[in-house]
Amino acid sequence: MKHLFVANWKMNLPFNEAIDFCQQHATALAELCLTKECELVLCPSFEALHTVATILQKTQIAVGAQDVSRHATGAYTGEVSATSLAQAGCSYCIIGHSERRHYYQERTIDIEHKLKECIKNGITPIICIGETEQERNEGNTLDILNEQLIPLLQTIAQQDNAMPYVVAYEPVWAIGTGVVPTPEALNEVFKWLHTTCNTETGSSFRLLYGGGVDEKSAHGLRHISHLNGFLIGGASTSFERLKKVVQYD
Ligand code: PGA
């Protein structure tokens, strides 16, 4: 299975910078991915999706959104539907990111609707799950992941399409900190994820790690079993740093 790198630019690259990034570096990144036999998804904010998708059209680099509305259509001011995302050129969409869960009180039921909208529109969902520091310290990591993931896997199990799914394990305490879990802790989570996703759905999954991934940590993370790539925040907004993460994998 090819490794997948997802660049989550969050709200860090405004429109002009996102476009400049793609115009200047898409060719080099696409060549690097060909050499490394991996795949790359760039996730700019909504307003840049269509322009970024147009620039990347001639490359193998895919475009992803950072969120989607839980509704299909209607009077929902400020929301963006999965249909619009697909029409704008998105083939991936991050759902359930911990920043959405935390700042916008997203619940599992919201994420379930978002998942269904993505699937209906042929967009590969990148489902984010992760525990807080307190939950980890209390020894509840797998229980929390189970609680976040099982309802979504049940939704997936009801689908009759053969879409590839992506789950990103992102411990909340590692996001933006540069601190990553130990290899032992990651091996435990990824073994559990691999078994759970397969037994619950029978679908094919790519399992990513996110949180503190950068040019320093990527090298040490690549031997985790069942790990198929990374979701990269801060380090992905710099071409040089993103390139190194892809190179070091
Ligand atoms: P980070 O963010 O790489 O800056 O830790 C990852 C994420 O939030 O997806």
Side-chain angles (χ1 to χ4, degrees), residues 8 10 97-99 170 174-178 210-213 231-235:
N8 177 11
K10 309 191 180 184
H97 191 279
S98 72
E99 286 151 16
E170 297 206 300
I175 293 176
T177 61
V213 176
L231 178 51
I232 313 143

Side-chain angles (χ1 to χ4, degrees), residues 203-247:
S203 296
S204 94
F205 278 81
R206 284 209 270 199
L207 305 178
L208 310 186
Y209 171 75
V213 176
D214 61 17
E215 64 280 23
K216 294 186 198 84
S217 61
H219 191 61
L221 291 165
R222 71 196 200 289
H223 294 304
I224 308 297
S225 342
H226 308 300
L227 181 76
N228 308 120
F230 296 117
L231 178 51
I232 313 143
S236 74
T237 57
S238 144
F239 166 66
E240 288 301 329
R241 297 183 72 197
L242 177 61
K243 192 174 82 176
K244 284 183 184 152
V245 173
V246 177
Q247 272 169 343

